[in-house]
């Protein structure tokens, strides 16, 4: 393999990685606050692509308006899911909330199958995302470098929000301790709701990027990215935003490189993320950037 | 009193066997198939309930273990000629292409292979808890599936196996289901069962009471994998074809639904729910197939059954977390309404 | 053997914080020894190290002459050390009788196979376990409640049950973590009687953490005082009551409470 091809793959890996990172943040924020896997995150990604599709098809929106429409609708949906399926279980054993999440995930998936049908649909491909761009010797489509740029801007925005605003402080406080946060006058219901909305908005952006990259959408496209991004979040250290970014990039780059360098293992591509997950959990169960929490006896 | 209970149990058992015999001779093949599936799902639900309900380990690996059991049993029971026909892309490796053994040893081997894989998987993943364990077992199940797709010369890859002999009869499925129920009831009421429940309630306290956590967890996990392997094998030799798309997460979801609906940690609940869900799964097939009512033609809507099932799961978990049984078990005392006053309530 | 437990110079660090520093202790068979100190002094941490839940950063622990420093908690329990918890950790959803039966599980001889097939030998062992459990529950006065859920018992009885559960493991040394916490003077008086009684009846050595000074002074033959992880005094109840450093550490706490 020559250097040029390596760069090409690297660019591709970074692009995929930034996409993973974007979605992984949603997981990590929700996990950070509620300590459970939002199994339905993948389905939120899937719905975001359908919202764009129908925005264009039914309301004849221009693509950019359809994107905004989808992000707003997806955010509201995320908020709604939390209200209906998770909020009533906040005092139940964590296993119940996990089961509920699995239920929501299957419900959305199959409801989509019923409503949208199983036949794949073509996602819009505005020409600005499909142009070939040449950097020196490396030829890539514009989506490959637009993805990391948009991801970078959003990451900056989220990090700023969490670290430098009052709302962000409330989020961090809620993540540390519900009861104390409540005593400090934080409306934790509002904060949790906001976290879901924000996480879903990021998932929507991720979903749209996903659609631009792999422009065939069907009701099951959310499952794999959903699981992989959860893995990215765990690898980086769940609950930790820089960790989710790191995990996302690691997974994206490693996956692309695996296929590029060991084409014989292409069939195992989807299993790779799980292998990585299991290795990380064994070597460092709290993830690369996660803190170790001692159990109180 | 104790003898009376044994008598009741004996009579019910005989009545049930008579029912099975009657069903075998009178019901049409479609209904028989549902009845057989009920028995298989009882085994699968008990397998999942042993780890999820009694030990408190949230595992989502059932589909993977079922796949291992089904493929093993299929490869052991198919005739060499059938195998040669199925493996036209890449031949099956020796000695699997020559072997053909009877159903019973094949079933046992299927369970054992699944148990060995379960044991190996448990080593790394049982260091994890809660959600992490769930996602890791789900991950292993997916990895197994990917391996099956890619190991062409053993599993025939995405093509799957066809022409598996139909050995699974109602006697096999319900015979093994009853045996599983019997063993599970004994196990759960034994000192080991108490140790598992103690682990579920409070790991640290259980460990301080001298219970070796890892040993007990890994044993429960391995037994569960064994049962899932048997269940998978029975199912494979019933529907006569296996392929990797059968063993997706949705399969685990159905069994999880049974366990949740019946009551997480109740054998009785799992048995009842297994029968209900299996029947419902078939009954709801109607909504997915095309219908013509008078001049109106409604095309089949695939996915509708799963919509109903996911709604059912959500309703149970949101409004009725105990399921049918909570953690309670059936006892003949229910009939005499003396439960609490009885000396031998627990463990009888 | 005249030393049952020897703790040699153990220290434990959590990150930069030294929770326990150079703690040493010798217990002779049949003693009742107390461990006191202000909140956050590291008392429960000492218990957690002895029972194997935490591993010390340095130091060694010997039980009946054997090094148990790096054994798992279940192995340590098997050797004969049982404990209770400060914030009662019963198996609340299990009946009282099962809590006690769980305590006997570590001595079980039957295999999983025998248990699953409910063989004659298993039934015999189960019967013996039940008989022992009934006896134990009678001894601690909980026989009548044996089929109640452990979590539904009144607080004082939960404490008793936790001690009974610890005794079910057939220990030689019992560590009690604040057994009198939250008890009325009347109840703690009964508890003192109870602790003396179990020492006689079960031939156990007792090492206890306690805040109720009346209880500690009333039944402990020796007392160790720690503050900020450091041992500041050691002696008979009388010596401790008159020790200036102890009074200083407890400043603001009424010693006669």
């Amino acid at each position: 393999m020559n250097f040029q091809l390596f760069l090409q793959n690297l660019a591709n890996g970074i692009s995929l990685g930034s996409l993973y990172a974007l979605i992984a943040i949603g997981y990590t924020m929700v996990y950070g606050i509620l300590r459970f896997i939002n199994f339905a995150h993948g389905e939120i990604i899937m719905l975001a692509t359908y919202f764009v599709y129908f925005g264009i098809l039914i309301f004849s929106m221009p693509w950019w308006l359809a994107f905004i429409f989808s992000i707003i609708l997806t955010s509201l949906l995320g908020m709604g899911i939390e209200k209906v399926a998770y909020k009533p279980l906040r005092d139940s054993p964590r296993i119940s909330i996990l089961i509920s999440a699995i239920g929501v995930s299957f419900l959305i998936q199959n409801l989509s199958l019923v409503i949208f049908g199983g036949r794949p649909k073509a996602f819009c491909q505005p020409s600005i995302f499909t142009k070939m761009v040449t950097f020196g010797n490396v030829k890539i489509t514009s989506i490959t470098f637009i993805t990391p740029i948009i991801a970078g801007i959003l990451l900056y925005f989220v990090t700023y929000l969490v670290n430098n605003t009052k709302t962000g402080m409330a989020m961090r406080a809620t993540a540390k301790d519900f009861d104390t946060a409540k005593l400090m006058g934080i409306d934790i219901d509002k904060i949790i709701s906001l976290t879901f909305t924000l996480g879903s908005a990021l998932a929507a952006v991720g979903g749209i990027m996903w659609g631009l990259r792999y422009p065939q959408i069907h009701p099951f496209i959310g499952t794999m990215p959903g699981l992989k991004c959860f893995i990215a979040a765990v690898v980086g250290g769940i609950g930790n935003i820089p960790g989710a970014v790191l995990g996302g990039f690691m997974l994206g780059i490693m996956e692309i490189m695996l296929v590029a360098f060991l084409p014989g293992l292409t069939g195992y591509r989807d299993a790779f993320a799980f292998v990585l997950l299991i290795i990380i959990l064994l070597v460092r169960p709290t993830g690369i950037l996660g803190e170790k929490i001692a159990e109180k006896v | 009193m104790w003898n009376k209970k044994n008598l009741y149990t004996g009579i019910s058992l005989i009545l049930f066997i008579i029912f099975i015999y009657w069903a075998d001779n009178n019901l049409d093949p479609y209904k028989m198939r549902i009845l057989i599936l009920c028995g298989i799902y009882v085994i699968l639900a008990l397998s999942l309930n042993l780890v999820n309900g009694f030990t408190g380990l949230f595992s989502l690996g059932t589909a993977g273990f079922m796949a291992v059991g089904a493929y093993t049993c299929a490869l052991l029971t198919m005739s060499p000629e059938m195998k040669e026909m199925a493996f036209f892309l890449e031949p099956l490796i020796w000695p699997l292409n020559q072997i053909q053994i009877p159903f019973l040893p094949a079933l046992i081997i299927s369970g054992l292979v699944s148990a060995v894989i379960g044991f190996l998987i448990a080593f790394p993943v049982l260091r994890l808890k809660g959600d992490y364990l769930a996602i890791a077992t789900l991950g292993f199940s997916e990895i197994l599936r990917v391996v099956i797709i890619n190991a062409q010369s053993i599993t025939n890859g995405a093509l799957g196996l066809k022409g598996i002999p139909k050995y699974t009869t109602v006697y096999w499925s319900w015979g093994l289901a009853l045996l599983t129920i019997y063993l599970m009831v004994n196990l759960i009421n034994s000192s080991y069962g108490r140790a598992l429940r103690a682990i579920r309630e409070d790991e640290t306290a259980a460990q301080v009471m001298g219970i070796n956590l890892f040993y007990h967890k890994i044993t429960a996990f391995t037994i569960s994998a064994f049962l899932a392997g048997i269940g998978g094998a029975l199912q494979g030799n019933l529907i006569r074809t296996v392929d990797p798309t059968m063993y997706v997460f949705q399969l685990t979801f159905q069994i999880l639904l049974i366990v949740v609906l019946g009551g997480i940690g109740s054998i009785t609940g799992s048995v009842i729910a297994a029968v209900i869900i299996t029947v419902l799964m078939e009954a709801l097939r109607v909504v997915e197939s095309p219908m013509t009512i008078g001049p109106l033609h409604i095309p089949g809507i695939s996915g509708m059954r799963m919509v109903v099932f996911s709604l059912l799961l959500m309703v149970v978990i949101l409004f009725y977390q105990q399921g049918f049984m909570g953690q309670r078990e059936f006892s003949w005392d229910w009939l005499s309404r003396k439960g609490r006053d009885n000396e031998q309530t627990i463990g009888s | 053997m005249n030393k049952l437990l020897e703790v040699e110079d153990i220290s434990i660090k959590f990150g930069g914080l030294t929770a326990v520093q150079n703690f040493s202790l010798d217990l002779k068979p049949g003693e009742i020894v107390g461990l006191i100190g202000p909140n956050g002094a590291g008392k429960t941490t000492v218990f957690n190290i002895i029972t194997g839940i935490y591993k010390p950063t340095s130091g060694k622990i010997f039980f009946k002459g054997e090094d148990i420093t790096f054994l798992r908690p279940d192995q340590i329990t098997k050797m004969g050390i049982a404990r209770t918890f400060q914030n009662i950790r019963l198996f609340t959803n299990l009946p009282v009788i099962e809590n006690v039966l769980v305590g006997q599980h570590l001595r079980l001889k039957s295999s999983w196979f025998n248990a699953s097939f409910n063989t004659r030998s298993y039934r015999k062992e189960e019967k013996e376990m039940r008989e022992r459990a009934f006896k134990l529950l009678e001894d601690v006065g909980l026989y009548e409640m044996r089929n109640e859920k452990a979590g539904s018992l009144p607080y004082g009885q939960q404490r008793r049950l936790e001690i009974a559960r610890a005794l079910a493991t057939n220990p030689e040394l019992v560590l009690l973590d604040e057994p009198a916490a939250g008890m009325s003077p009347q109840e703690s008086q009964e508890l003192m009687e109870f602790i003396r009684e179990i020492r006689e009846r079960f031939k156990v050595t007792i090492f206890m953490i306690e805040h109720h000074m009346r209880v500690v002074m009333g039944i402990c033959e020796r007392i160790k005082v720690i503050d900020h992880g450091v041992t500041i005094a050691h002696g008979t109840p009388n010596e401790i009551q008159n020790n200036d450093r102890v009074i200083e550490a407890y400043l603001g706490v009424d010693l006669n409470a």
Side-chain angles (χ1 to χ4, degrees):
Chain A
M1 169 166 310
N2 60 26
F3 189 61
Q4 183 196 337
L5 211 55
F6 173 77
L7 281 183
Q8 193 125 12
N9 280 314
L10 185 67
N12 211 354
I14 290 174
S15 176
L16 183 64
S18 59
L19 197 50
Y20 283 162
L22 211 52
I23 302 169
I25 293 175
Y27 269 116
T28 231
M29 285 174 75
V30 168
Y31 195 96
I33 286 197
L34 288 175
R35 311 257 162 240
F36 87 100
I37 304 170
N38 184 10
F39 250 87
H41 207 61
E43 276 54 56
I44 291 176
I45 298 169
M46 177 269 292
L47 281 180
T49 63
Y50 271 97
F51 289 149
V52 171
Y53 177 82
F54 286 110
I56 293 172
L57 191 78
I58 297 177
F59 303 109
S60 330
M61 295 176 179
W63 60 266
W64 54 271
L65 189 62
F67 285 5
I68 296 171
F69 166 77
S70 161
I71 294 169
I72 294 171
L73 220 55
T74 312
S75 310
L76 293 177
L77 184 84
M79 199 170 87
I81 290 174
E82 194 271 328
K83 284 235 154 46
V84 174
Y86 304 149
K87 199 176 164 197
L89 294 173
R90 216 170 275 164
D91 298 321
S92 308
R94 269 176 55 199
I95 285 313
S96 306
I97 207 168
L98 182 65
I99 295 173
S100 183
I102 295 174
V104 173
S105 163
F106 271 85
L107 181 63
I108 296 181
Q109 214 174 72
N110 289 286
L111 212 53
S112 306
L113 186 64
V114 168
I115 298 171
F116 307 144
R119 196 176 303 152
K121 304 219 168 7
F123 196 74
C124 72
Q125 291 221 290
S127 58
I128 131 165
F129 297 110
T130 51
K131 271 194 303 228
M132 290 305 274
V133 190
T134 319
F135 289 101
N137 291 330
V138 184
K139 259 185 155 175
I140 49 177
T141 50
S142 52
I143 181 74
T144 308
F145 78 87
I146 291 176
T147 310
I149 293 172
I150 294 180
I153 295 170
L154 289 172
L155 292 184
Y156 175 78
F157 167 75
V158 171
T159 316
Y160 181 85
L161 176 88
V162 171
N163 290 329
N164 300 352
T165 64
K166 219 166 169 181
T167 314
M169 203 195 286
M171 278 179 178
R172 281 179 289 143
T174 311
K176 277 258 187 280
D177 189 333
F178 269 22
D179 295 327
T180 316
K182 236 187 246 172
L183 287 175
M184 295 294 122
I186 294 169
D187 183 349
I188 62 164
D189 287 343
K190 214 173 97 190
I191 291 297
I192 291 172
S193 188
L194 187 71
T195 309
F196 264 87
T197 314
L198 197 61
S200 305
L202 292 174
V205 178
I208 292 168
M209 303 284 199
W210 193 276
L212 290 168
R213 213 183 143 90
Y214 307 105
Q216 280 224 320
I217 58 172
H218 56 84
F220 299 103
I221 50 161
T223 314
M224 256 306 149
L227 280 173
K228 282 184 186 170
C229 293
F230 171 73
I231 291 170
V234 173
V235 167
I238 197 142
N240 180 315
I241 290 177
V245 177
L246 178 72
F249 276 107
M250 266 178 69
L251 189 60
I253 295 171
M254 285 163 97
E255 219 177 67
I256 296 280
M257 291 297 172
L258 178 87
V259 176
F261 287 98
L262 302 164
L265 292 179
T266 309
Y268 290 93
R269 180 175 168 174
D270 286 343
F272 171 73
F274 288 105
V275 175
L276 181 69
L277 171 78
I278 285 153
I279 294 172
I280 283 284
L281 286 176
L282 291 180
V283 180
R284 211 183 139 79
T286 48
I288 298 171
L289 297 183
E291 305 159 37
K292 193 172 158 47
I293 307 157
E295 195 195 349
K296 193 159 165 56
V297 179
Chain B
M1 193 64 206
W2 191 77
N3 276 329
K4 218 174 189 175
K5 279 185 201 162
N6 270 8
L7 186 70
Y8 290 155
T9 311
I11 292 172
S12 324
L13 204 61
I14 291 167
L15 287 177
F16 186 73
I17 291 168
I18 293 172
F19 165 72
I20 294 285
Y21 181 79
W22 173 85
D24 194 27
N25 287 299
N26 291 287
L27 292 184
D28 60 61
Y30 176 66
K31 289 201 180 97
M32 271 322 278
R33 186 184 151 109
I34 296 175
L35 187 61
I36 296 172
L37 275 175
C38 284
I40 296 174
Y41 274 84
V42 165
I43 298 174
L44 293 169
L46 290 178
S47 148
L48 191 64
N49 211 346
L50 177 65
V51 281
N52 284 27
F54 292 104
T55 322
L57 301 169
F58 200 79
S59 161
L60 294 175
T62 309
F65 297 126
M66 283 175 71
V68 172
Y71 271 91
T72 310
C73 200
L75 288 171
L76 290 174
T77 53
M78 279 167 78
S79 66
E81 299 76 45
M82 283 309 274
K83 287 179 194 168
E84 211 182 314
M85 258 159 59
F87 286 75
F88 59 85
L89 279 182
E90 211 174 306
L92 179 62
I93 52 159
W94 188 87
L96 282 175
N97 59 353
Q98 299 294 336
I99 293 176
Q100 187 183 16
I101 62 172
F103 195 38
L104 182 63
L107 261 182
I108 295 172
I109 294 172
S110 310
L112 289 177
V113 171
S114 178
V116 168
I117 290 180
F119 180 79
L120 294 176
I121 287 174
F123 252 94
V125 301
L126 283 185
R127 291 171 51 182
L128 309 169
K129 285 178 192 166
D131 305 24
Y132 285 99
L133 180 67
I135 206 87
T137 46
L138 170 61
F140 260 118
S141 180
E142 279 299 306
I143 291 174
L144 280 174
R145 215 167 62 82
V146 173
V147 170
I148 288 173
I149 294 173
N150 287 280
Q152 188 87 37
S153 58
I154 302 174
T155 61
N156 207 20
L159 295 170
L161 302 174
K162 287 179 188 68
I164 305 166
K166 187 176 188 265
Y167 284 145
T168 308
T169 60
V170 72
Y171 299 106
W172 278 110
S173 97
W174 272 102
L176 289 174
L178 290 176
L179 181 64
T180 309
I181 295 170
Y182 170 75
L183 295 179
M184 198 66 86
V185 168
N186 283 340
L187 180 66
I188 289 311
N189 286 324
S190 79
S191 192
Y192 288 102
R194 288 192 291 266
L196 298 182
R197 268 171 286 160
I199 293 173
R200 175 189 73 198
E201 293 282 311
D202 186 336
E203 278 199 5
T204 309
Q207 197 179 22
V208 166
M209 295 315 291
I211 294 169
N212 183 337
L213 296 183
F214 191 71
Y215 167 73
H216 282 83
K217 283 183 184 177
I218 204 166
T219 310
F221 200 85
T222 307
I223 295 175
S224 167
F226 178 84
L227 291 175
I230 298 272
L234 286 171
Q235 196 196 36
N237 283 59
L238 173 69
I239 54 184
R240 307 192 57 200
T241 151
V242 293
D243 71 75
T245 55
M246 285 167 58
Y247 300 100
V248 290
F249 183 42
Q250 186 172 324
L251 185 58
T252 306
F253 173 86
Q254 287 171 357
I255 297 155
L256 179 68
L257 172 66
I258 293 174
V259 172
V260 172
L261 188 69
I264 303 172
S266 167
I267 296 174
T268 318
S270 282
V271 174
I272 298 173
V275 173
I276 293 180
I277 293 294
T278 312
V279 172
L280 213 58
M281 241 182 306
E282 292 300 324
L284 286 175
R285 225 174 254 286
V286 178
V287 300
E288 288 196 356
S289 48
M291 272 182 286
T292 311
I293 307 167
L296 203 65
H297 181 77
I298 304 163
I301 311 164
S302 62
M304 204 59 205
R305 280 192 304 166
M306 283 308 291
V307 169
V308 174
F309 285 135
S310 17
L311 271 176
L312 186 60
L313 181 76
M314 302 241 5
V315 168
V316 172
I317 207 73
L318 284 173
F319 304 109
Y320 198 62
Q321 276 190 36
Q322 294 290 300
F324 293 146
M325 300 290 294
Q327 293 180 357
R328 286 165 298 149
E329 297 294 353
F330 172 79
S331 142
W332 290 114
D333 291 329
W334 286 13
L335 303 180
S336 54
R337 288 275 162 219
K338 272 199 211 160
R340 280 278 167 215
D341 312 325
N342 203 303
E343 183 73 17
Q344 290 283 338
T345 309
I346 309 149
S348 60
Chain C
M1 174 72 53
N2 69 8
K3 279 178 190 165
L4 186 65
L5 181 80
E6 298 162 76
V7 179
E8 284 180 5
D9 233 18
I10 50 166
S11 300
I12 188 166
K13 288 188 181 133
F14 295 116
L17 179 86
T18 306
V20 173
Q21 201 177 344
N22 303 98
F23 181 86
S24 294
L25 173 77
D26 283 340
L27 291 180
K28 292 185 202 65
E31 275 190 304
I32 299 185
V33 176
L35 177 63
I36 63 170
N39 280 327
K43 303 181 295 291
T44 299
T45 309
V46 169
F47 269 31
N48 285 342
I49 296 172
I50 296 175
T51 51
I53 293 172
Y54 294 157
K55 304 296 168 213
T57 317
S58 64
K60 288 223 163 293
I61 303 167
F62 296 90
F63 183 64
K64 295 191 283 186
E66 271 184 69
D67 187 348
I68 60 163
T69 319
F70 295 103
L71 293 186
R72 287 192 313 267
D74 55 288
Q75 294 171 315
I76 291 173
T77 309
K78 219 164 184 171
M79 290 190 64
I81 301 181
R83 73 172 285 184
T84 64
F85 294 90
Q86 189 176 346
N87 48 338
I88 312 180
R89 291 183 84 149
L90 289 169
F91 306 117
T92 46
N93 288 319
L94 305 187
V96 167
I97 177 86
E98 289 202 10
N99 271 272
V100 178
L101 285 168
V102 166
Q104 295 184 40
H105 181 69
L106 75 172
R107 314 271 175 225
L108 187 77
K109 288 181 206 75
S110 302
S111 64
W112 291 79
F113 187 84
N114 280 333
S116 302
F117 281 92
N118 203 14
T119 58
R120 188 187 295 262
S121 71
Y122 178 76
R123 283 202 300 271
K124 186 163 166 276
E125 205 177 357
E126 172 82 16
K127 196 167 162 239
E128 287 164 5
M129 284 169 78
R130 272 181 196 274
E131 275 161 11
R132 273 198 301 273
F134 286 147
K135 175 83 173 39
L136 192 60
L137 286 176
E138 264 167 23
D139 284 348
V140 301
L142 291 172
Y143 183 76
E144 299 303 319
M145 291 85 178
R146 65 191 179 284
N147 289 333
E148 303 292 325
K149 268 191 180 182
S152 68
L153 293 186
Y155 184 78
Q157 291 186 342
Q158 290 199 14
R159 285 262 173 225
R160 266 169 191 259
L161 176 56
E162 212 191 8
I163 295 173
R165 187 181 67 173
L167 290 171
T169 64
N170 205 6
E172 288 175 58
L173 169 64
V174 181
L175 310 183
L176 302 175
D177 198 342
E178 296 199 29
M183 285 190 175
S184 67
Q186 165 69 23
E187 282 173 322
S188 35
Q189 192 62 40
E190 284 170 19
L191 184 84
M192 277 163 66
E193 289 307 314
F194 178 60
I195 291 173
R196 279 207 196 90
E197 214 180 288
I198 59 172
R199 169 175 62 171
E200 299 311 319
R201 192 172 301 177
F202 298 92
K203 306 271 179 287
V204 288
T205 308
I206 289 168
F207 182 41
M208 60 191 279
I209 295 174
E210 193 42 76
H211 272 304
H212 275 235
M213 285 308 147
R214 193 171 286 164
V215 174
V216 182
M217 298 299 166
I219 60 170
C220 294
E221 286 135 13
R222 285 191 295 137
I223 294 171
K224 257 188 128 67
V225 190
I226 61 172
D227 187 20
H228 295 294
V230 184
T231 308
I232 57 170
H234 181 201
T236 63
N238 242 327
E239 289 163 6
I240 296 297
Q241 264 168 325
N242 301 316
N243 185 307
D244 289 341
R245 286 189 68 186
V246 176
I247 293 167
E248 195 189 309
Y250 269 95
L251 203 66
V253 177
D254 186 358
L255 268 183
N256 295 316

